[in-house]
Amino acid sequence: MHFPVPRVPRQPAPAPTGTDAGLSEELAPVVAGARRRALRDGDPQIDTAHLLHSLVESGPDVRAAFGGPDQVARVLGYLVQRSIGYGLRWQATVEDSGAVPMVPADRDSGQTVWSPSAEAAVLRARERAADRGEHRPGGLDLLAGLAADRESRAAEVLVRAGVDPDRLTGRIGELSQQVRRT
């Protein structure tokens, strides 16, 4: 016997507010993916590892910043492990490297909030874009923002996967210069 699958009407995406506001079209699906991961994993906030996971999957320019496909595979492998159990020790905890003041989550709003470290990474990405004269940060800006905070969950994943955050930041700078020349 075949049972029809009920259709769920598509819901419009919520308008960006707070940390989401002012991000580029390139980063909108990254943020949406990070939000879905946080909700699916039962995490109280979008953290830097959620952002890193969505970002690495987002496009070739971000993956090009890594030291080759083997390094990308190791990072993604760690991130997948995190979503199936490695990150259980992180659940129900707040990621806070002290980068920005922590604001308590409003559990009744239905919105997934940003960890202080994730919010700081987005702020660093905005500053990096502004330094180039851009109004909105792109994927490489956010990757640089994530790599800059050595106390974040994203940095922990990078290091455990064998990625040196300083070398990654250097490659991001080189790629950004190449993009500006073209």
Side-chain angles (χ1 to χ4, degrees), residues 78-98:
Y78 243 98
L79 289 163
V80 167
Q81 287 177 29
R82 183 245 172 153
S83 68
I84 60 173
Y86 161 72
L88 289 177
R89 65 188 171 85
W90 288 340
Q91 282 186 345
T93 63
V94 174
E95 176 189 35
D96 184 13
S97 63

Side-chain angles (χ1 to χ4, degrees), residues 5-131:
V5 176
R7 298 198 50 88
V8 176
R10 287 189 84 162
Q11 300 293 320
T17 59
T19 305
D20 295 32
L23 295 178
S24 66
E25 288 181 23
E26 174 188 1
L27 290 181
V30 170
V31 170
R35 180 172 282 113
R36 279 191 304 274
R37 278 190 172 80
L39 289 170
R40 181 195 64 217
D41 296 346
D43 291 336
Q45 58 188 274
I46 298 170
D47 68 24
T48 58
H50 294 124
L51 284 171
L52 179 63
H53 198 157
S54 289
L55 192 57
V56 171
E57 291 178 337
S58 71
D61 60 332
V62 169
R63 289 188 295 275
F66 290 89
D70 292 343
Q71 204 171 58
V72 172
R74 282 192 304 275
V75 169
L76 283 173
Y78 243 98
L79 289 163
V80 167
Q81 287 177 29
R82 183 245 172 153
S83 68
I84 60 173
Y86 161 72
L88 289 177
R89 65 188 171 85
W90 288 340
Q91 282 186 345
T93 63
V94 174
E95 176 189 35
D96 184 13
S97 63
V100 295
M102 195 169 104
V103 177
D106 179 7
R107 300 266 184 229
D108 298 329
S109 72
Q111 294 270 334
T112 306
V113 297
W114 294 75
S115 75
S117 297
E119 195 168 328
V122 171
L123 292 174
R124 282 190 294 275
R126 285 186 175 130
E127 289 169 0
R128 190 173 183 279
D131 288 346

